Amino acid sequence: MKAVRFHGQGDIRLEEIEIPKCGKGQVKVKPAYVGICGTDLHEYLGGANIIPTSPHPITKEKAPLTLGHEFSGVIEEVGDDVHDIQIGQRVSVQPIIYDGTCGACRDGLINCCDNNGFIGLSGWGGGLSEHVVVPRAAVYEIPEQVSMKLGALVEPISVAWHSLDISPLKRGDKVLVLGGGPIGLAVIQCLKARGAETIIASEVSPRRKEFAKKFGAHHVLDPTQDDIVARVREICGGVGADLAFDAAGVQAGLNQALKAIRAQGTLVNIAVWEKPAQLQMNDLVFRERKYIGVTTFVAGDFRHVLDAIAEGKLQPEPMITGVIKMDEVEEKGFKALIEEKDKHVKILVEVNP
């Protein structure tokens, strides 16, 4: 079968590899659409970082590995002991790999597993292949009214959904969102769906500012032109935002967000930082502000997001700014997102439509 594989920095290849076999507790999926993620781009530009170069503790695999961790597909085979899902069922794949035995896993926090990894980054195949075998627990049935393309957006939106769950968000809150990339835009959509009263976005890119407005931001600020702290306080009646979500991971933005939230407000970090950040502790201490980190999602988040899309509470289709073929992944996918990132939010790869 064909698969797009990561070999090293700047080296991804469309190759022929063996079709995986389906075993106990597993299902074989025929991928339909696969999203290209910022993590994929970081690996391509500077990897391997997350992709293992020595055997992963769970999968026992290392590069070269098949890519693709945001994907939808169709069940084409089930293991002998799998009886609760049918061949032909459309599914979204939850890609977290976890050991199930560490302290975090025993607490139900599979996203915080001591040995965690991801299908499409750490082994067990990936969505950018004609077939992939995954644990039964990793697949979530897509409702009839949700398209396969939208099924490939469930993974990044679940990151946003989980960040709201971890936060102290209340209906009627005033919220600042840093960054208008895929995760920041997903946060804006989820905030709108879950009752935030005022959503303020901070973004530089003109195109992404437009997307932020389209997805529900009431105010869109430009940190290169606006005094973010002063404007947020003005919009929020002089007291600052109740909450802020950092989906940018930039020091200047972190500094602004800490000052822009109200006394006892909360700043939630979603961003993966490329270098160490500095935290001005007195900005926390003297206003009793809180700073918390979140990562990916937990069991159940995929189901909540799929249901919200099915019910029309989330309408993420405009996030899809391009659809390409497997043999176009590097030129029209990775390079397009790197060289023309202001034009794109999410490019999907059509594997088996």
Side-chain angles (χ1 to χ4, degrees), residues 3-205:
V4 177
R5 313 246 297 163
F6 173 92
H7 283 258
Q9 182 178 358
D11 186 1
I12 57 174
R13 309 175 195 175
L14 180 60
E15 300 179 316
E16 286 285 339
I17 63 172
E18 293 291 321
I19 297 175
K21 296 180 180 179
C22 185
K24 288 186 176 181
Q26 297 177 322
V27 295
K28 183 186 286 185
V29 177
K30 188 176 184 179
Y33 292 95
V34 186
I36 300 174
C37 174
T39 303
D40 299 320
L41 301 181
H42 286 304
E43 295 297 300
Y44 179 75
L45 289 170
N49 298 308
I50 294 175
I51 292 174
T53 54
S54 57
H56 186 273
I58 298 175
T59 69
K60 310 304 180 187
E61 298 180 50
K62 63 178 182 177
L65 294 173
T66 302
L67 293 171
H69 62 277
E70 303 178 357
F71 64 104
S72 63
V74 176
I75 300 291
E76 55 181 353
E77 186 179 342
V78 300
D80 291 341
D81 57 343
V82 175
H83 306 292
D84 60 344
I85 194 163
Q86 304 298 317
I87 292 172
Q89 176 64 56
R90 303 179 315 135
V91 296
S92 288
V93 178
Q94 190 271 81
I96 294 177
I97 295 170
Y98 54 96
D99 61 27
T101 60
C102 71
C105 285
R106 292 198 302 270
D107 287 339
L109 303 174
I110 60 172
N111 56 329
C112 299
C113 175
D114 292 346
N115 296 304
N116 77 342
F118 297 88
I119 297 165
L121 287 169
S122 311
W124 291 357
L128 285 172
S129 61
E130 293 178 310
H131 311 274
V132 61
V133 170
V134 302
R136 162 62 185 94
V139 298
Y140 287 78
E141 297 178 25
I142 297 176
E144 183 178 348
Q145 58 270 54
V146 177
S147 72
M148 293 291 267
K149 289 180 180 178
L150 294 185
L153 297 181
V154 172
E155 197 271 356
I157 297 173
S158 292
V159 173
W161 192 275
H162 178 65
S163 73
L164 269 63
D165 281 346
I166 292 295
S167 81
L169 176 71
K170 306 183 303 299
R171 182 170 289 276
D173 274 351
K174 299 175 176 63
V175 185
L176 169 65
V177 180
L178 303 181
I183 298 300
L185 294 174
V187 169
I188 290 169
Q189 293 175 71
C190 292
L191 286 169
K192 180 181 178 182
R194 295 174 64 169
E197 178 181 292
T198 303
I199 303 169
I200 308 162
S202 175
E203 171 57 48
V204 175
S205 163

